[in-house]
């Protein structure tokens, strides 16, 4: 055994305890910084430029520095405020998934033959890809051949034979065209989004209900608690971790609502169903978008909104850790 | 930061490309249409080119159209092919301005294209130079149900009064005059462009898309007023905002709507929906302002040489080759479109014959609203058209908003 080798080993031995966690964390840290942390700063940087995303033949960026101009434009952009407003609508109405999920979970939390099958059926929409959910609801809302259209036609339309002898329909009131109506389109998409989200919250509550202590319920029952009071004061406090998680995933789901919008309306009609995430995509990388700087400014605003929420989330986690 | 990282990635990509460097005789072509017809036409042309140039090893990448639109931004500066397909007009402008497309005026000069491809020369030109060579284009116009027109004793309208009279007759017979699906917006731009071209003419179309005419200008307002009359009178199908252009074929095929303002690529769609050539026919969008020189929409597709191409010599040969009359004749017969070279011959479908007649006698050819106007303007404009079609009372607000976008885009 030579001296150099020995000293090396002793250095490693001395620092093994400090090094080991870092070694384990290193891969995650590396990828997290490459794919998350660095892009955040890149996109903030780009938001101060006007850039169409192109490099010239020498590989130099064609961006020009414009300072805060992109942000000034945001303040004067109707579409941006429409998107921001829609984000708020999404946040508020998406929250319905939490009580709805709780209600279904309470309903399904019983021992009946075949309950597992019912549970999995209720969980089914969450397993389906959002894209498929979007497509299905798009058809569902379709005024020509969708469910709504068909019901409407049964009520207000009659079949006629048109000029070339084909069957056609004539209506006293034309069927509602939910996804093409600026007032209703966003709600239509949110409703579609709620379907899988409720299933998600339901499964969170179902697992939570498994951990509710039977002793406490027994005790509460002896004290005469029933129904609503039992739920409010005994069950719900024990479900607090599940509620917290359900709210977290629902807020995240609402803020990153993108696939449904892309599939169902592509932000239309005329931009009225845009949310910040989709508007950013549209301005920066869609077919008619080549404004990387402006898109990045939108992304930065979205990031700041999320940051408020993420900070609260981290603070809350930190509090929990300390409490233990 | 982004820039530094990107350029270092770029140099890695470049050195990788160097190590697998294409041999001198390789010619890499990126093409953007994997559909059976366009693919067959392109591959036949490539085979012919190989036969004529046996020393060139042609490598072909065929990509999906939408994917190509995104990928081109990267591959032009990172790993450039020797030839890429793309669109003329304002769609090529960002790449020309960034210096990513090669000036090919010399190819035009050497082959006399200024004469034989004269129809498309203006839209291939920026700063007095030509940046690519077109291989196909197609006409727009009104496709209509001939059987319905015949049944009602209607003739192809040639002016606006006749058109309105025909529309009223159709409505009285319970047929919606025009079908359209505006979910993807651009179809509404087709209607707008034609109304504008017929009411104000080619110059105003160009000035509008170049940002020299305001949307609140009286002339543009006139276009919207005529359009408003059409919408208020119920010329267009309901629910158009939820339909794509393909969906909008359904009422046309069922006989519930009788006309469709469309490009010639739609003929395939009609046939797939079960209509025969006897049931459908074509007429030029009718005259509105009497005596106004007739201009048409004729979007073209073209090939370009990226500045970073490695084999520009053979690339130039290929560009010259695809503009040859015999090649354009064959190619366009396969894909059912019109050759641009005036010495080429046109396929014998009646739509192509009429289209050729329409375009070769037009005084001006527009590319299309979304190719003539810059992307941001086009997007805002087309959203405005859709909004207007859903609620005509918002006209003034829409026009003012478009003016605002215009101020920003063309500053």
């Amino acid at each position: 055994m030579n001296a150099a080798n020995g000293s090396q080993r002793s250095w490693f031995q001395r620092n093994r305890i400090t090094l080991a966690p870092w070694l384990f964390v290193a891969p995650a840290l590396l990828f997290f910084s490459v794919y998350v942390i660095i892009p955040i700063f890149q996109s903030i940087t780009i938001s101060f430029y006007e850039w169409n995303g192109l490099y010239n033949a020498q590989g130099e960026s064609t961006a020009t520095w414009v300072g805060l101009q992109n942000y000034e434009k945001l303040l004067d952009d109707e579409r941006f405020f429409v998107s921001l407003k829609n984000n708020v609508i999404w946040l508020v109405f998406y929250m319905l998934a939490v009580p709805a999920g709780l209600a279904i979970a309470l309903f399904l939390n019983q021992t009946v033959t075949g309950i597992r099958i019912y549970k999995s059926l209720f969980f089914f929409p969450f397993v389906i890809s959002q894209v498929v959910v979007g497509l299905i609801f798009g058809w569902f809302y379709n005024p020509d051949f969708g469910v709504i259209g068909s019901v409407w036609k049964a009520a207000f339309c009659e079949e006629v034979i048109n000029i070339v002898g084909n069957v056609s329909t004539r209506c006293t009131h034309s069927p509602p065209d939910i996804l093409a109506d600026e007032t209703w389109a966003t709600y239509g998409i949110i409703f579609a989004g709620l379907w899988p989200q409720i299933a998600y919250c339901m499964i969170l509550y179902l697992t939570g209900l498994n951990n509710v202590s039977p002793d406490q319920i027994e005790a509460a029952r002896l004290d005469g608690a029933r129904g609503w009071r039992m739920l409010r004061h005994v069950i719900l406090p024990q479900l607090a971790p599940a509620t917290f998680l359900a709210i977290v995933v629902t807020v995240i789901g609402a803020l990153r609502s993108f696939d449904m919008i892309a599939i169902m309306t592509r932000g239309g009609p005329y931009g009225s169903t845009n949310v910040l995430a989709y508007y950013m995509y549209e301005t920066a990388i869609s077919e008619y978008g080549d404004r990387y700087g402006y898109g990045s400014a939108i992304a930065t605003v979205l990031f700041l909104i999320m940051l408020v929420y993420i900070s609260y989330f981290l603070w809350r986690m930190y509090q929990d850790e300390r409490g233990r | 930061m982004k820039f530094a990282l990107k350029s270092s990635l770029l140099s890695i990509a470049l050195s990788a490309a160097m190590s697998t460097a294409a041999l001198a005789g390789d010619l890499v072509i990126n093409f953007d249409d994997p559909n059976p017809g366009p693919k067959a036409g392109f591959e036949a042309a490539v085979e012919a080119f190989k036969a004529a140039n046996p020393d060139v090893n042609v490598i072909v990448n065929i990509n999906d159209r939408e994917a190509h639109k995104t990928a081109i931004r990267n591959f032009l500066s990172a790993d450039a092919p020797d030839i890429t397909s793309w669109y003329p007009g304002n769609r090529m402008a960002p790449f020309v301005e960034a210096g990513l497309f090669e000036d090919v005026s010399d190819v035009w000069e050497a082959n006399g294209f200024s004469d034989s491809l004269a129809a498309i020369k203006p839209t291939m030109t920026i700063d007095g130079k030509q940046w690519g060579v077109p291989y196909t284009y197609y006409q727009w116009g009104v496709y209509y149900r001939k059987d319905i027109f015949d049944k009602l004793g209607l003739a192809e309208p040639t002016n606006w009064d006749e058109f309105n009279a025909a529309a009223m007759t159709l409505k009285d017979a319970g047929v919606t005059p025009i079908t359209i699906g505006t979910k993807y917006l651009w179809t509404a731009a087709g209607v707008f462009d034609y109304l504008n071209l017929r009411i104000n003419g080619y110059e105003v179309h160009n000035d509008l898309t170049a940002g020299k005419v305001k949307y609140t200008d009286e002339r543009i307002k006139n276009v919207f007023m005529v359009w408003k009359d059409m919408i208020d009178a119920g010329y267009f199908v309901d629910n158009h905002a939820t339909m794509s252009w393909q969906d909008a074929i359904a009422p046309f095929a069922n006989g519930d709507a009788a006309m469709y303002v469309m490009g010639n690529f739609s003929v395939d769609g009609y046939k797939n929906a079960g209509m025969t050539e006897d049931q459908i026919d074509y007429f030029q969008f009718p005259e509105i302002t009497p005596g106004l020189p007739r201009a048409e929409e004729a979007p073209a597709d073209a090939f370009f040489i990226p500045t970073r191409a490695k084999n520009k010599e053979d690339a130039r040969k290929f560009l010259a080759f695809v503009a040859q009359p015999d090649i354009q004749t064959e190619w366009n017969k396969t894909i059912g479109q019109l050759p641009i070279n005036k010495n080429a011959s046109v396929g014998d479908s009646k739509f192509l014959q009429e289209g050729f007649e329409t375009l070769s006698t037009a005084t001006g050819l527009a590319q299309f609203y979304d190719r003539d106007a810059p992307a941001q303007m086009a997007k805002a404009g087309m959203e405005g058209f859709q909004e207007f079609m859903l609620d005509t009372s918002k006209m003034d607000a829409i026009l003012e908003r478009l003016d605002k976008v215009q101020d920003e885009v063309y500053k």
Side-chain angles (χ1 to χ4, degrees):
Chain A
M1 202 93 357
N2 63 40
N5 211 342
S7 77
Q8 205 173 26
R9 192 186 296 150
S10 69
W11 180 85
F12 184 74
Q13 248 160 2
R14 251 184 294 131
N15 296 286
R16 202 159 52 180
I17 306 293
T18 13
L19 275 178
W22 285 108
L23 277 176
F24 282 111
V25 172
L29 267 187
L30 179 74
F31 286 101
F32 191 68
S33 22
V34 169
Y35 291 111
V36 179
I37 306 288
I38 296 175
I40 289 174
F41 288 100
Q42 283 178 335
S43 118
I44 294 175
T45 318
I46 295 174
S47 72
F48 298 117
Y49 286 86
E50 187 174 305
W51 188 38
N52 61 5
L54 291 179
Y55 297 88
N56 68 13
Q58 285 73 46
E60 296 152 357
S61 160
T62 56
T64 45
W65 174 269
V66 293
L68 288 171
Q69 267 181 35
N70 283 327
Y71 293 93
E72 282 164 26
K73 277 188 212 159
L74 275 183
L75 292 178
D76 196 31
D77 182 352
E78 268 175 62
R79 289 273 187 276
F80 170 73
F81 287 104
V82 168
S83 312
L84 197 61
K85 189 189 94 194
N86 283 338
N87 260 121
V88 174
I89 296 179
W90 266 89
L91 264 178
V92 171
F93 284 87
Y94 223 46
M95 277 304 157
L96 290 177
V98 178
L102 174 64
I104 297 177
L106 289 172
F107 174 68
L108 287 178
N109 190 42
Q110 41 189 315
T111 38
V112 183
T113 335
I115 192 70
R116 277 164 192 273
I117 295 178
Y118 301 131
K119 282 183 185 171
S120 30
L121 284 179
F122 273 93
F123 187 57
F124 192 60
F126 183 67
V127 184
I128 309 175
S129 147
Q130 295 249 315
V131 175
V132 178
V133 174
L135 271 179
I136 295 173
F137 272 80
W139 292 332
F140 183 77
Y141 293 140
N142 188 297
D144 288 319
F145 56 79
V147 177
I148 290 184
S150 307
V151 171
W152 190 274
K153 275 177 187 162
F156 297 104
C157 305
E158 49 169 5
E159 286 199 345
V160 290
I161 302 297
N162 72 10
I163 188 159
V164 291
N166 289 336
V167 176
S168 175
T169 48
R170 194 137 310 152
C171 306
T172 45
H173 306 278
S174 51
D177 195 352
I178 293 171
L179 293 183
D181 185 326
E182 62 171 315
T183 347
W184 296 110
T186 293
Y187 299 101
I189 304 173
I190 295 174
F191 186 72
L194 277 175
W195 191 45
Q197 192 64 30
I198 287 174
Y200 194 8
C201 292
M202 178 203 79
I203 209 80
L204 291 172
Y205 276 120
L206 273 178
T207 39
L209 283 170
N210 277 340
N211 298 329
V212 169
S213 124
D215 311 0
Q216 289 190 23
I217 295 179
E218 194 76 356
R221 204 159 268 161
L222 286 176
D223 288 343
R226 310 196 59 210
W228 170 250
R229 285 165 61 88
M230 171 76 108
L231 177 68
R232 169 77 185 76
H233 297 287
V234 182
I235 311 281
L236 275 188
Q238 294 192 61
L239 285 178
T243 308
F244 179 62
L245 209 56
I247 291 176
V248 167
V249 295
T250 308
V251 169
I252 293 176
L255 283 177
R256 45 166 232 188
S257 49
F258 177 92
D259 358 23
M260 296 262 188
I261 294 166
I263 290 293
M264 294 175 76
T265 60
R266 310 222 303 176
Y270 43 88
S272 59
T273 56
N274 267 345
V275 292
L276 290 179
Y278 194 78
Y279 189 46
M280 165 189 80
Y281 161 79
E282 197 180 89
T283 41
I285 37 192
S286 74
E287 182 178 354
Y288 299 107
D290 57 0
R291 294 185 294 156
Y292 275 54
Y294 196 62
S296 299
I298 299 169
T300 308
V301 171
L302 182 58
F303 171 70
L304 291 176
I305 295 172
M306 288 215 180
L307 199 62
V308 173
Y309 165 72
I310 293 169
S311 316
Y312 166 75
F313 176 68
L314 288 177
W315 176 78
R316 173 84 196 254
M317 290 231 295
Y318 180 68
Q319 295 292 318
D320 281 359
E321 297 269 302
R322 269 212 322 200
R324 234 158 249 170
Chain B
M1 194 164 209
K2 163 96 182 178
F3 314 120
L5 182 77
K6 189 78 186 236
S7 52
S8 61
L9 281 179
L10 200 78
S11 53
I12 294 170
L14 273 180
S15 52
M18 298 291 194
S19 57
T20 59
L23 296 165
D26 283 354
L27 182 70
V28 183
I29 306 176
N30 285 11
F31 186 65
D32 70 342
D33 202 338
N35 290 313
K39 184 167 176 248
F42 169 66
E43 282 172 347
V46 168
E47 284 311 314
F49 179 77
K50 279 184 187 163
N53 300 276
D55 56 320
V56 181
N57 177 30
V58 184
I59 301 163
V60 168
N61 306 312
I62 300 181
N63 213 336
D64 170 67
R65 205 158 249 251
E66 298 308 315
H68 183 83
K69 283 174 184 166
T70 326
I72 190 168
R73 295 188 193 172
N74 294 324
F75 71 60
L76 282 184
S77 48
D79 188 15
D82 300 307
I83 304 262
T84 180
S85 53
W86 193 242
Y87 319 106
N90 233 303
R91 281 297 181 92
M92 71 177 186
F95 301 126
V96 171
E97 277 154 20
L100 291 168
F101 278 157
E102 177 97 351
D103 171 13
V104 292
S105 306
D106 54 323
V107 179
W108 283 68
E109 186 76 31
N111 296 280
F113 287 164
S114 299
D115 176 48
S116 57
L117 304 179
I120 292 297
K121 190 179 179 190
T123 56
M124 298 297 321
T125 305
I126 290 179
D127 297 336
K129 296 169 193 151
Q130 287 74 49
W131 301 92
V133 170
Y135 63 95
T136 184
Y137 65 170
Y138 53 87
Q139 83 274 16
W140 271 66
V142 183
Y143 292 80
Y144 71 101
R145 284 291 295 261
K146 195 167 168 39
D147 48 350
I148 298 179
F149 269 54
D150 286 346
K151 210 168 247 177
L152 296 171
L154 293 169
E156 294 185 356
T158 54
N159 61 43
W160 201 238
D161 288 339
E162 287 175 24
F163 183 83
N164 281 324
M168 288 332 278
T169 313
L170 287 166
K171 272 200 77 70
D172 290 343
V175 181
T176 309
I178 305 173
T179 185
I180 188 171
T182 60
K183 184 178 183 189
Y184 296 102
L185 306 175
W186 54 268
T187 47
V191 176
F192 170 79
D193 269 355
Y194 264 111
L195 291 173
N196 190 21
L197 286 171
R198 292 294 182 266
I199 293 171
N200 297 315
Y202 190 52
E203 290 306 312
V204 174
H205 168 90
N206 285 339
D207 288 349
L208 180 75
T209 50
K212 291 178 201 151
V213 169
K214 295 235 144 270
Y215 283 82
T216 46
D217 188 289
E218 271 315 304
R219 291 169 293 181
I220 304 302
K221 271 193 176 161
N222 286 339
V223 174
F224 277 86
M225 291 312 289
V226 172
W227 199 358
K228 180 172 158 42
D229 289 342
M230 295 169 74
I231 296 163
D232 291 348
Y235 278 21
F236 296 97
V237 290
D238 291 339
N239 308 328
H240 56 78
T242 29
M243 292 194 283
S244 68
W245 76 264
Q246 291 100 329
D247 296 337
I249 292 178
F252 191 57
N254 198 40
D256 296 331
M259 296 186 272
Y260 202 175
V261 181
M262 254 293 142
N264 197 53
F265 55 84
S266 60
V267 171
D268 256 353
Y270 308 146
K271 290 182 181 163
N272 291 340
M275 285 174 276
T276 63
E277 280 220 359
D278 300 331
Q279 284 179 298
I280 30 175
D281 206 351
Y282 166 89
F283 63 84
Q284 290 167 7
F285 199 94
E287 182 179 77
I288 300 181
T289 303
L292 194 72
R294 184 171 52 81
E296 297 287 339
E297 302 255 58
D301 288 347
F303 283 110
F304 297 83
I305 305 180
T307 314
R308 299 193 68 96
K310 292 163 205 91
N311 188 358
K312 291 181 185 171
E313 196 184 324
D314 287 330
R316 285 189 151 75
K317 271 190 212 160
F318 186 81
L319 286 196
F321 185 80
V322 294
Q324 285 176 17
D326 52 329
I327 298 298
Q328 292 215 338
T329 301
E330 275 313 306
W331 193 333
N332 285 291
K333 266 183 192 158
T334 314
I335 61 180
Q337 296 194 7
L338 293 168
I340 292 166
N341 193 311
K342 66 173 189 183
N343 303 317
S345 50
V346 179
D348 27 71
S349 121
K350 66 174 175 182
F351 299 105
L352 289 183
Q353 292 290 342
E354 283 194 79
F356 180 74
E357 165 68 21
T358 301
L359 296 189
S360 55
T361 54
T363 53
L365 295 181
Q367 279 299 296
F368 198 74
Y369 182 78
D370 76 344
R371 292 197 192 174
D372 286 330
Q376 187 190 347
M377 188 69 240
K379 172 79 179 165
M382 295 191 305
E383 280 186 352
F385 301 155
Q386 190 198 36
E387 185 170 2
F388 175 73
M389 285 192 74
L390 289 171
D391 186 355
T392 50
S393 67
K394 289 192 194 157
M395 183 176 112
D396 291 318
I398 294 170
L399 294 180
E400 271 157 34
R401 190 178 67 229
L402 293 185
D403 269 357
K404 201 170 105 183
V405 177
Q406 198 186 41
D407 285 341
E408 196 190 307
V409 173
Y410 306 88
K411 59 178 179 257

